[in-house]
Amino acid sequence: MTEHREGEPIEILLVEDNPGDVRLTKEAFREGGINNTLHVVSDGEAALDFLFQRGEYEDATRPHLVLLDLNLPKLDGHDVLERIRADDDLHRLPVIILTSSESERDVVESYERNSNAYLTKPVRPNDFIDLVQTFEEFWLTLVRLPPRPE
């Protein structure tokens, strides 16, 4: 496992099926000016293929953290999170839920499955950008991330 070193890009996997939210997230990261690489997949099965380096993602870089929507096609975010936590190599990978769901049940289930944080997407685009930039400042500047699984 290699540890993130200051100045190196932070690898982020965004699991999001809404193209508008992907665009806003990319815009917010670009405006934040933090050196990162944002990989995007649009469903739960592709997320697991990326993380487990299967199929078209066999050469994918393991991310430092995952931004995970809950409401995904093929396999929902809770199931993706459960499979990440069950894997010996990935179980420490920080997973932040980024979803439109305000359901208390979703919040509880996400933490029961050991998500690292739960963020609700604001409706207004500017508020969404502010949320992503606040996330970026905290998780990519202040927090010390664990080494990436190889």
Side-chain angles (χ1 to χ4, degrees):
M1 295 186 180
T2 54
E3 190 171 333
H4 172 73
R5 289 184 211 113
E6 197 169 320
E8 289 183 4
I10 294 171
E11 304 284 336
I12 301 166
L13 175 61
L14 174 63
V15 186
E16 174 59 66
D17 63 322
N18 181 322
D21 288 348
V22 170
R23 182 183 52 77
L24 285 172
T25 303
K26 287 179 176 181
E27 181 181 325
F29 279 132
R30 193 171 35 255
E31 287 179 13
I34 291 178
N35 190 16
N36 64 62
T37 302
L38 188 65
H39 306 276
V40 180
V41 296
S42 60
D43 65 67
E45 287 181 5
L48 292 177
D49 287 346
F50 188 99
L51 291 167
F52 290 107
Q53 298 171 316
R54 300 185 297 221
E56 69 179 282
Y57 301 107
E58 76 177 318
D59 294 325
T61 302
R62 287 280 175 88
H64 290 94
L65 61 87
V66 176
L67 283 171
L68 178 64
D69 191 9
L70 292 179
N71 305 310
L72 297 168
K74 297 186 181 179
L75 190 66
D76 77 15
H78 289 300
D79 290 334
V80 171
L81 177 60
E82 187 171 312
R83 292 186 190 182
I84 291 169
R85 294 300 182 237
D87 184 76
D88 288 341
D89 291 331
L90 296 176
H91 73 275
R92 282 189 308 265
L93 178 65
V95 178
I96 292 83
I97 304 300
L98 180 60
T99 186
S100 56
S101 174
E102 295 184 13
S103 161
E104 188 171 313
R105 188 176 141 263
D106 281 339
V107 173
V108 170
E109 189 173 347
S110 295
Y111 282 113
E112 284 178 348
R113 293 180 188 217
N114 296 312
S115 69
N116 294 87
Y118 190 101
L119 303 173
T120 303
K121 297 175 193 172
V123 176
R124 294 181 38 220
N126 286 344
D127 292 342
F128 184 86
I129 289 172
D130 289 345
L131 174 74
V132 172
Q133 288 178 337
T134 300
F135 154 83
E136 183 178 42
E137 181 179 337
F138 180 76
W139 281 98
L140 306 184
T141 304
L142 301 175
V143 170
R144 182 169 178 189
L145 297 171
R148 284 187 292 182
E150 292 301 323

